[in-house]
């Protein structure tokens, strides 16, 4: 993971990215056709409609339903969890701060607590925040120690996260609709009143008092007329895309010993891989020793908003998967008997659009302040910064009513996006959006009118971590 530090122009976290040139695989037409007007059948009506069942959408749906809202959840795939499941982003980034305090809680804590020890791996709670050199050395090879600090950053079984996410949704009384692509927001007088979706039944609509755009790329708020930002630094990982994959039949402990105990040989191995195929990625641990995860190579120069770019990244990633398998079986300790276990059913998109909201989370806000409309607390990128207070206003569109936009497309600058796009932060903002949507639907309010004190009290009741009220009063 990397992010740009404005004053120094360097990346906080180094992660190799590969600049690629888009290939026009066929000439695109410039013709335009007229689509005839037609009636759209209303599939159902509800209090809260959540479009997108990734981390933010799943958390939002559960939180809203637990407050008594009638919730419909539209999801285009056959599962919940988004990139944390279908995208094989099974490494869940830091949920503890640099002192070891568990700050991303609520839905995130609950869903992970449902995974038994054979389905999730990571440091024990007593070690969060530890700077013991031996523990740091061990966990730094296993995606759970940074800046000489052990953190709560587990890896997990994506199929079980799918199962537990679905169980929570159903237990809460949410009505999920799979294989349904949210296509177009319904807008009346500047307010979103639901969404048209595409499915095997054609175009249908869901009407809602409040709609939550949890698409990840801001598809609904953009089509509803909201302003948004798209700029990224092409050197930064959050501007890259790839399809992840997992190899089984490996011995990751053997590979990690090779990496840690023979650094010169490991460096030569990585150099040979780059020389052989240019786009080369190292594996990371999973929840099991015999399963390795490849979250790259990360390809830059593509747009997550262009279908031809998405298609090319898929093609390149799957070709690279086969090339990596051959290379690792021949040259990498622990990989002689490796085989392809699965490739991601979802493309690894890190950035598409970012909302222009009523508020904005910026680099200047990493100074330890507690914002007046705080709905969660995120760990900072490094120990040199304080925890980050996340404002509710970052999810509220500036120019469109009836809509909330949690998840990786919330309102923030490009630097803050590098961590606000991560799975735990999406759980955090989705949880808050679900509570806010339920309150707005129940009271007949616009999302911007939800009383912050009630929003916070309900979040606390659902297990979220917030800064104490006296700190907010002093801010």
């Amino acid at each position: 993971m990397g992010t740009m530090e404005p004053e120094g122009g360097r990346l906080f976290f180094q992660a190799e990215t590969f600049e690629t040139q888009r290939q026009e695989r066929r000439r695109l037409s410039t013709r335009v056709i007229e689509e005839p007007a037609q009636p759209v059948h209303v599939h159902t009506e509800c209090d809260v409609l959540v479009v997108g069942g990734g981390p933010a959408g799943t958390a939002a749906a559960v939180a809203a339903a637990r407050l008594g809202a009638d919730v419909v959840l539209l999801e285009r795939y056959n599962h919940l969890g988004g990139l944390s499941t279908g995208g094989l982003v099974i490494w869940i980034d830091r949920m503890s701060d640099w002192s070891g305090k568990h700050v991303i809680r609520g839905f995130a804590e609950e869903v992970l607590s449902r995974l038994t020890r054979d389905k999730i791996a990571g440091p024990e709670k007593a070690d969060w925040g530890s700077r013991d050199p031996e523990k740091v050395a061990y966990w730094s090879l296993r995606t759970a120690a940074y800046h000489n600090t052990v953190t709560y950053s587990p890896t997990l079984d994506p199929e079980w996260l799918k199962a537990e996410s679905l169980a929570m949704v159903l237990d809460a009384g949410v009505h999920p609709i799979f294989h349904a692509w949210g296509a177009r927001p319904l807008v009346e007088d500047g307010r979103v009143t639901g969404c048209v979706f595409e499915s095997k039944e054609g175009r249908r609509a869901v009407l809602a008092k409040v709609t939550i755009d949890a698409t990840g790329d801001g598809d609904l708020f953009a089509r509803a007329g909201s302003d948004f930002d798209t700029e990224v630094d092409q050197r930064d990982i959050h501007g890259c895309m790839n399809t992840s994959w997992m190899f089984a039949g490996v011995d990751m402990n053997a590979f990690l010993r090779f990496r840690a105990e023979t650094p010169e040989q490991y460096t030569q191995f990585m150099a040979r891989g780059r020389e052989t195929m240019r786009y080369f990625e190292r594996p990371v641990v999973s929840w099991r020793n015999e399963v390795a995860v490849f979250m790259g190579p990360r390809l830059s120069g593509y747009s997550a908003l262009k279908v031809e770019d998405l298609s090319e990244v898929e093609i390149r990633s799957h070709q690279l998967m086969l090339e990596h398998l051959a290379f690792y079986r021949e040259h990498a300790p622990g990989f002689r008997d490796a085989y392809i276990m699965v490739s991601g059913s979802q493309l690894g998109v890190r950035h598409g659009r970012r909302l222009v909201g009523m508020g904005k989370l910026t680099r200047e806000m990493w100074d330890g302040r507690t914002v007046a409309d705080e709905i969660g607390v995120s760990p900072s990128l490094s120990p040199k910064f304080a925890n980050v207070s996340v404002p509710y206003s970052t999810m509220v569109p500036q120019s469109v009513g009836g809509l909330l936009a949690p998840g990786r497309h919330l309102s923030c600058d490009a630097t803050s996006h590098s961590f606000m796009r991560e799975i735990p932060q999406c759980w955090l903002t989705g949880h808050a959006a679900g509570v806010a949507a339920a309150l707005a639907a129940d009271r007949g309010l616009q999302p911007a009118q939800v009383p912050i004190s009630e929003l916070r009290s309900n979040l606390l009741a659902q297990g979220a971590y917030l800064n104490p009220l006296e700190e907010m009063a002093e801010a």
Side-chain angles (χ1 to χ4, degrees):
M1 179 175 66
T3 184
M4 190 57 58
E5 185 176 14
E7 60 268 27
R10 67 176 180 84
L11 296 175
F12 281 117
F13 295 110
Q14 299 296 324
E16 190 165 24
T17 62
F18 297 95
E19 184 176 356
T20 51
Q21 184 175 2
R22 289 192 298 267
Q23 299 175 355
E24 188 171 328
R25 294 182 295 121
R26 64 183 299 129
R27 187 177 298 278
L28 302 182
S29 175
T30 58
R31 294 180 60 188
V32 176
I33 62 172
E34 295 292 331
E35 185 176 13
Q38 57 181 319
V40 176
H41 178 77
V42 175
H43 189 79
T44 191
E45 302 180 37
C46 60
D47 295 327
V48 176
L49 169 64
V50 182
V51 182
T58 302
V62 170
R66 285 179 173 176
L67 287 179
D70 176 19
V71 181
V72 171
L73 172 59
L74 294 179
E75 168 53 45
R76 62 171 165 154
Y77 295 104
N78 70 345
H79 61 269
L80 300 176
L83 289 180
S84 65
T85 56
L88 303 183
V89 184
I90 64 169
W91 161 54
I92 307 301
D93 201 4
R94 294 163 297 111
M95 290 174 286
S96 59
D97 67 12
W98 298 106
S99 71
K101 183 186 295 183
H102 189 185
V103 294
I104 297 186
R105 304 186 66 174
F107 179 89
E109 181 176 19
E110 182 177 352
V111 71
L112 294 184
S113 72
R114 297 169 69 104
L115 301 177
T116 55
R117 293 180 65 89
D118 60 327
K119 303 175 183 70
I120 188 168
E124 296 291 338
K125 186 173 183 178
D127 290 334
W128 302 348
S130 172
R131 292 177 173 80
D132 177 84
E134 290 188 11
K135 293 178 179 179
V136 168
Y138 179 85
W139 287 111
S140 64
L141 293 172
R142 293 164 174 82
T143 66
Y146 307 92
H147 297 286
N148 298 314
T149 306
V150 178
T151 65
Y152 180 30
S153 309
T155 55
L156 48 78
D157 184 335
E159 290 302 319
W160 275 100
L161 184 57
K162 289 178 186 177
E164 296 299 346
S165 297
L166 178 60
M168 289 178 70
V169 161
L170 296 177
D171 289 348
V174 175
H175 180 71
I177 303 175
F178 293 105
H179 305 288
W181 187 305
R184 180 174 64 84
L186 300 170
V187 183
E188 295 180 9
D189 299 323
R191 178 178 176 273
V192 175
T193 59
C195 179
V196 173
F197 69 93
E198 295 275 2
S199 74
K200 286 292 187 179
E201 294 184 81
R203 293 170 69 85
R204 291 192 162 215
V206 177
L207 303 181
K209 297 175 182 177
V210 179
T211 301
I212 295 177
D213 182 347
T215 61
D217 294 317
D219 294 340
L220 291 192
F221 68 65
R223 291 167 189 162
S226 173
D227 293 330
F228 56 87
D229 296 317
T230 58
E231 89 285 352
V232 295
D233 189 304
Q234 291 299 331
R235 298 173 297 169
D236 198 311
I237 185 176
H238 76 157
C240 299
M241 293 190 291
N242 63 277
T243 297
S244 298
W245 66 79
M246 294 196 294
F247 291 161
V250 308
D251 182 349
M252 276 301 290
N253 285 333
F255 182 82
L256 293 178
R257 285 195 300 271
F258 163 65
R259 178 180 166 186
E261 297 172 8
T262 57
E264 290 187 9
Q265 290 177 269
Y266 174 73
T267 299
Q268 293 170 2
F269 165 79
M270 293 298 292
R272 186 173 185 178
R274 295 186 190 97
E275 181 181 350
T276 301
M277 64 187 76
R278 183 184 174 193
Y279 309 115
F280 190 64
E281 180 70 9
R282 70 184 184 191
V284 295
V285 297
S286 74
W287 76 105
R288 299 176 66 95
N289 177 57
E290 66 269 27
V291 176
V293 186
F294 288 77
M295 296 187 183
R298 301 164 181 85
L299 306 177
S300 69
Y302 294 100
S303 170
L305 307 178
K306 295 183 178 180
V307 68
E308 291 289 341
D309 283 13
L310 297 175
S311 300
E312 187 172 328
V313 172
E314 289 279 19
I315 292 168
R316 289 196 174 196
S317 292
H318 283 86
Q319 291 171 337
L320 286 166
M321 177 179 66
L322 301 182
E323 293 174 19
H324 275 69
L325 179 64
F327 186 88
Y328 271 81
R329 290 185 66 168
E330 183 175 356
H331 300 292
F335 278 77
R336 183 183 61 184
D337 298 320
Y339 59 92
I340 296 171
M341 179 178 177
V342 66
S343 60
S345 59
Q346 293 182 232
L347 185 66
V349 174
R350 295 168 176 84
H351 182 272
R353 305 179 183 91
R354 299 193 309 280
L355 176 73
V356 173
M358 299 289 288
K360 186 175 185 178
L361 180 56
T362 65
R363 163 69 177 76
E364 291 72 27
M365 297 167 67
W366 305 0
D367 58 2
R369 74 184 70 177
T370 302
V371 296
D373 61 338
E374 180 187 274
I375 46 81
V377 176
S378 171
S380 62
L381 281 173
S382 79
K384 65 184 286 188
F385 301 110
N387 289 341
V388 179
S389 178
V390 181
Y392 172 62
S393 55
T394 58
M395 300 185 291
V396 183
Q398 194 175 88
S399 55
V400 177
L403 187 71
L404 285 165
R408 73 168 184 253
H409 55 217
L410 89 169
S411 180
C412 62
D413 60 18
T415 309
S416 301
H417 180 264
S418 62
F419 63 93
M420 288 306 299
R421 67 177 174 83
E422 298 285 357
I423 305 298
Q425 285 77 4
C426 290
W427 280 329
L428 181 160
T429 56
H431 185 179
V435 171
L439 293 175
D442 181 61
R443 308 281 183 81
L445 301 173
Q446 287 294 311
Q449 298 171 325
V450 171
I452 298 302
S453 60
E454 292 187 45
L455 173 55
R456 283 175 56 89
S457 64
N458 279 280
L459 282 170
L460 289 169
Q462 291 191 3
Y465 175 86
L466 298 172
N467 281 311
L469 293 177
E470 57 268 21
E471 290 187 24
M472 188 174 72
E474 294 170 2

